Amino acid sequence: MKIHLLKNFKPLCYNLDKWNMIQSPFLLVTGLSGSGKTTFAQKFAKRHHAICISFDVLKFYNESPKQSQKLLDIFMKKYPAIEKKVFSQWSKSDKLNTNDILYNYYCNVFFDFLMDYSKQHNIKIVLEGIQIFVRLHPSKSVGLPIIIIRSSSINCFLNKLKRDYITKISIF
């Protein structure tokens, strides 16, 4: 597989015909950090009358979209032990890497919660984030509809740099 530093490609789409309440209420959107997953997923969800959830809400609650926060609030009522971790952004580490293990665990539990919630409330969900393949057990995403955003490495890097590191400079 080639790494494309400069060229963007159309997203890869798999199993989109299965995205419905009967076969799968979930559509997964993933790609590199800074590839435009969140923007794409929000527009796609709106166009298809679905709810867009960012997996980043588990680590970056305050910066996450309101819909993601709302569902995580419901989740935290069911699993109150996670609240302290969410609001500390899982930042404390230890020699045994227990926070990383807990984060993996709660990513999987949150995924299951969202799946049940979507079925109970008869809603479709667009779930976006890099954690889909990094944190979730592979059995959870097998056969689900997925869109992979394929922005160039340089484009992703520049977007991430602008988003996370460059602050607005005011000129007098």
Side-chain angles (χ1 to χ4, degrees):
M1 182 180 287
K2 293 180 183 179
I3 296 175
H4 297 279
L5 293 175
L6 302 172
K7 188 174 180 181
N8 294 328
F9 289 92
K10 289 183 180 180
L12 287 176
C13 303
Y14 296 99
N15 300 323
L16 284 184
D17 58 322
K18 293 182 179 180
W19 189 43
N20 58 55
M21 288 311 302
I22 296 168
Q23 291 180 297
S24 174
F26 260 57
L27 170 67
L28 307 175
V29 175
T30 193
L32 293 174
S33 182
S35 64
K37 294 179 301 295
T38 303
T39 302
F40 176 88
Q42 288 172 340
K43 290 177 182 177
F44 196 86
K46 187 174 183 178
R47 192 172 342 124
H48 294 278
H49 309 288
I51 293 176
C52 181
I53 304 298
S54 174
F55 234 148
D56 286 345
V57 71
L58 285 165
K59 271 197 176 182
F60 305 105
Y61 181 89
N62 292 329
E63 294 86 9
S64 295
K66 295 293 181 204
Q67 280 183 323
S68 297
Q69 290 178 0
K70 182 180 173 184
L71 279 175
L72 186 61
D73 289 342
I74 296 168
F75 177 74
M76 286 189 296
K77 286 180 183 172
K78 189 172 181 179
Y79 298 94
I82 193 177
E83 189 169 0
K84 185 176 179 183
K85 295 289 184 189
V86 168
F87 292 110
S88 67
Q89 295 183 354
W90 306 85
S91 58
K92 296 177 183 173
S93 60
D94 57 31
K95 291 179 183 176
L96 298 176
N97 241 359
T98 57
N99 276 345
D100 198 46
I101 293 166
L102 273 174
Y103 185 63
N104 283 349
Y105 171 76
Y106 278 114
C107 280
N108 284 274
V109 175
F110 187 52
F111 181 89
D112 293 340
F113 165 81
L114 290 172
M115 186 68 82
D116 290 341
Y117 185 89
S118 66
K119 289 176 182 176
Q120 289 172 1
H121 293 86
N122 199 33
I123 56 172
K124 292 191 298 185
I125 290 180
V126 175
L127 180 65
E128 67 86 9
I130 62 172
Q131 297 88 340
I132 290 167
F133 289 114
V134 176
R135 302 291 181 170
L136 284 182
H137 189 276
S139 65
K140 294 192 183 294
S141 59
V142 169
L144 290 179
I146 186 164
I147 297 175
I148 302 169
I149 307 299
R150 302 189 307 159
S151 296
S152 73
S153 300
I154 297 293
N155 189 51
C156 292
F157 172 75
L158 292 174
N159 286 341
K160 185 166 176 48
L161 188 66
K162 283 190 275 186
R163 180 187 72 209
D164 296 344
Y165 299 106
I166 297 177
T167 58
K168 293 185 179 182
I169 301 170
S170 59
I171 299 174
F172 296 91

